[in-house]
Amino acid sequence: MNIRCAKTEDLINMQHCNLLCLPENYQMKYYMYHGLSWPQLSYVAEDEKGKIVGYVLAKMEEEAEDDPHGHITSLAVKRSHRRLGLAQKLMDQTAAAMVETFNAKYVSLHVRKSNRAALNLYTQALKFQISEIEPKYYADGEDAYAMKRDLVQWSKQQDISPADPDSFFKGSSAVTA
């Protein structure tokens, strides 16, 4: 398995993976927006033949009043390649890029309340915390957990160098439950 930064030519295969794996689907222009705006933040997992078997689509949030932070728009791994640690590797790659390039202090995401497998990955393996419940977040009316992962502590543990160490380590991270 190979994890690498996504390229423009990967976007159609990322969309295909999304359509196979998830109920939340996006138009190609949304993938293009991410790929062109934050090319460092989206990653793909390839099998030995170079076929995309998973991806993470990520961006930086642009709210000026908050600490710099990223957001995971979508994460998917094909069923045939689950339970191999690919989702965690994809998430760690994008988290490292968020810290190294944009000084992100945390990363956020939304997950369906009913998605037990994803919740387990996020809370146990990746140390996300539930920050709030967003009622009727999804098109079908299901609630979402809004979750955050502290990247300041994580980057210290992983020895990842932030874009601007002075401002990155100043004060505490913005993650609060």
Side-chain angles (χ1 to χ4, degrees), residues 21 29 34 119 159 168:
C21 299
K29 67 181 178 182
H34 281 70
L119 274 168
D159 200 28
F168 187 73

Side-chain angles (χ1 to χ4, degrees), residues 99-118:
V99 170
E100 292 168 343
T101 309
F102 296 104
N103 232 39
K105 290 195 173 195
Y106 68 93
V107 59
S108 63
L109 59 76
H110 292 93
V111 62
R112 287 177 174 272
K113 283 182 71 176
S114 65
N115 191 341
R116 295 281 145 216

Side-chain angles (χ1 to χ4, degrees), residues 135-163:
K136 296 180 175 45
Y137 179 82
Y138 292 99
D140 64 4
E142 184 172 351
D143 296 350
Y145 288 120
M147 303 184 81
K148 292 181 180 179
R149 180 187 192 190
D150 181 337
L151 296 181
V152 175
Q153 276 306 114
W154 177 78
S155 65
K156 283 181 191 174
Q157 294 163 349
Q158 301 298 314
D159 200 28
I160 293 168
S161 301

Side-chain angles (χ1 to χ4, degrees), residues 3-4 6 10-11 13-22 24-26 31 41-46 52-58 72-78 86-87 90-91 94:
I3 307 278
R4 64 169 173 77
D10 296 321
L11 297 177
N13 290 318
M14 291 168 67
Q15 184 185 43
H16 179 70
C17 186
N18 170 270
L19 292 168
L20 284 175
C21 299
L22 298 173
E24 291 74 47
N25 307 128
Y26 308 102
Y31 290 88
L41 299 185
S42 293
Y43 286 81
V44 294
E46 299 175 311
I52 291 176
V53 296
Y55 73 90
V56 60
L57 187 68
I72 303 301
T73 301
S74 184
L75 170 70
V77 175
K78 289 183 179 177
L86 293 177
L90 287 163
M91 292 288 280
T94 195

